[in-house]
Amino acid sequence: FLGTSLTLMSNHWLMAWMGLEINTLAIIPMMTYPNNMRNTESAIKYFLMQATASMIIMFAIIYNAWMTNQWTLFQVSNEWATTFMTLALAMKLGLAPFHFWVPEVTQGIPLTSGMILLTWQKIAPTSILYQISPSLNMNILVLLAVSSTLLGGWGGLNQTHLRKILAYSSIAHMGWMTVIALINPSLMILNLLIYIAATMAMFLCLNLTSTTKINALSNMWNKSAPMTITIMIILLSLGGLPPLTGFMPKWLILQELIIYNNIATAMLLALSSLLNLFFYMRIIYTSTLTMFPSNNMSKFQWFHTSPKSTSLIPSMTIISAMLLPLSPLVI
């Protein structure tokens, strides 16, 4: 929280960089708890990628200061510094072609750590992208965005682990945010907030029932029938179907792209979202529309009060499903 706050409030490049570093180092103990081989491996992969990205960011900061003689966050007027900064932030956010670490790291850590990794850890790099947005290169952004949405869709098609599916979903959503960073940065923040609400709700539902694979979802109706409905609504919202909230940012982003004559990009993004919707529908089919394949003698399990907190699930589900009527206020 301190690292993200430092990056959000800073006006000096070194303070923003320091916030990113605190953010990276602070989550590593959370990723390695409880201590086992998989958690440690994921934490090392995460640390190496983030350290590499931080090194490139520091190089871009120093090069920009050398060329322009200033350290202000809002003024990155050198083209090479902007390019290096964009690529380093793409590595931190997990955009393609720097996305390979995201599924591997998310798969190897617990659900709560995965939730923080795919939600909170995106805020600080996105805030820097927002602040340097006037100097960004549109061609690089379109390349990163289109490759992220396509690879995020294709990568999740044959996955059976829910954490990997949500990681590929994150890559695709980051692509949607990146493409609009230069044209309308406020829309990027709106997309991030809605994505965070939906992903948090999804992770909290999975954590409540300790579910990590698709085939385990087919027995969820036996444990908690309302949870299957909640998961279905959240996934449809992540896929961007109206009348759910997830439709709002996709609709507004496509509208902005068409206004600025990026019709081919808009078409590619719209088609790539079908890939994401397909693997969301696979999860919905398994969790809601099928019964457990083996003979189940006790149709309903004895209800036990879960020690895990459920207080955030209703509010996050409402945010990720019912805010589409507020679109005129956003526009």
Side-chain angles (χ1 to χ4, degrees):
F1 182 78
L2 175 66
T4 303
S5 304
L6 198 61
T7 304
L8 288 174
M9 294 185 292
S10 60
N11 190 31
H12 194 281
W13 268 117
L14 286 181
M15 290 293 284
W17 183 83
M18 199 185 301
L20 289 172
E21 285 302 289
I22 293 169
N23 212 15
T24 301
L25 294 172
I27 197 178
I28 287 172
M30 298 171 70
M31 293 169 75
T32 54
Y33 178 82
N35 190 16
N36 58 47
M37 292 285 286
R38 294 207 61 174
N39 290 2
T40 309
E41 181 189 338
S42 297
I44 290 170
K45 286 177 183 174
Y46 178 74
F47 173 74
L48 290 174
M49 281 303 297
Q50 297 299 309
T52 308
S54 294
M55 180 185 67
I56 297 170
I57 288 174
M58 180 53 82
F59 169 74
I61 292 168
I62 294 170
Y63 185 73
N64 184 63
W66 183 27
M67 298 302 288
T68 61
N69 202 28
Q70 54 83 29
W71 295 83
T72 314
L73 199 66
F74 306 107
Q75 313 232 345
V76 187
S77 50
N78 185 273
E79 189 179 341
W80 281 103
T82 308
T83 304
F84 279 114
M85 185 66 66
T86 309
L87 295 177
L89 291 172
M91 288 174 75
K92 280 198 169 286
L93 289 169
L95 288 164
F98 313 109
H99 67 288
F100 295 102
W101 64 272
V102 183
E104 296 302 320
V105 171
T106 313
Q107 172 60 23
I109 57 178
L111 285 164
T112 30
S113 302
M115 178 181 73
I116 295 167
L117 178 70
L118 294 183
T119 55
W120 183 264
Q121 293 297 99
K122 307 289 185 188
I123 295 173
T126 309
S127 73
I128 294 180
L129 204 61
Y130 177 84
Q131 291 178 79
I132 66 168
S133 57
S135 57
L136 294 173
N137 185 331
M138 190 62 190
N139 293 329
I140 295 174
L141 292 180
V142 167
L143 183 66
L144 290 170
V146 171
S147 58
S148 296
T149 50
L150 288 172
L151 290 170
W154 277 326
L157 286 179
N158 61 346
Q159 300 296 334
T160 56
H161 288 78
L162 293 167
R163 281 172 293 186
K164 272 197 174 180
I165 287 174
L166 288 170
Y168 280 110
S169 165
S170 168
I171 294 164
H173 277 88
M174 288 301 128
W176 280 87
M177 287 174 221
T178 309
V179 78
I180 205 69
L182 177 62
I183 297 171
N184 191 342
S186 303
L187 206 49
M188 175 176 72
I189 302 299
L190 172 72
N191 196 347
L192 178 69
L193 294 174
I194 292 171
Y195 159 76
I196 285 175
T199 307
M200 274 186 72
M202 187 66 195
F203 267 105
L204 289 168
C205 290
L206 297 177
N207 188 45
L208 185 69
T209 53
S210 301
T211 307
T212 56
K213 291 185 180 178
I214 289 184
N215 59 1
L217 280 176
S218 60
N219 200 23
M220 190 178 280
W221 65 272
N222 203 355
K223 296 177 181 176
S224 174
M227 203 57 74
T228 59
I229 308 296
T230 307
I231 286 175
M232 178 180 75
I233 291 168
I234 295 164
L235 286 171
L236 289 176
S237 181
L238 276 170
L241 282 187
L244 304 170
T245 314
F247 175 65
M248 187 204 304
K250 287 186 168 59
W251 164 40
L252 294 174
I253 286 170
L254 291 177
Q255 188 179 340
E256 288 287 321
L257 287 172
I258 290 166
I259 288 169
Y260 283 86
N261 288 325
N262 288 311
I263 296 167
T265 308
M267 195 187 302
L268 277 171
L269 289 178
L271 290 172
S272 67
S273 67
L274 294 175
L275 296 168
N276 290 74
L277 194 57
F278 177 78
F279 61 73
Y280 294 143
M281 288 303 295
R282 274 181 64 215
I283 301 174
I284 292 167
Y285 178 74
T286 309
S287 63
T288 314
L289 304 174
T290 57
M291 291 184 71
F292 197 63
S294 62
N295 292 328
N296 191 355
M297 294 305 167
S298 62
K299 286 297 177 189
F300 291 97
Q301 293 180 353
W302 191 265
F303 181 77
H304 295 284
T305 306
S306 174
K308 295 172 183 174
S309 172
T310 59
S311 55
L312 275 174
I313 294 177
S315 53
M316 289 297 157
T317 306
I318 288 167
I319 290 169
S320 60
M322 299 183 183
L323 295 189
L324 187 64
L326 297 179
S327 297
L329 288 177
V330 176
I331 296 167

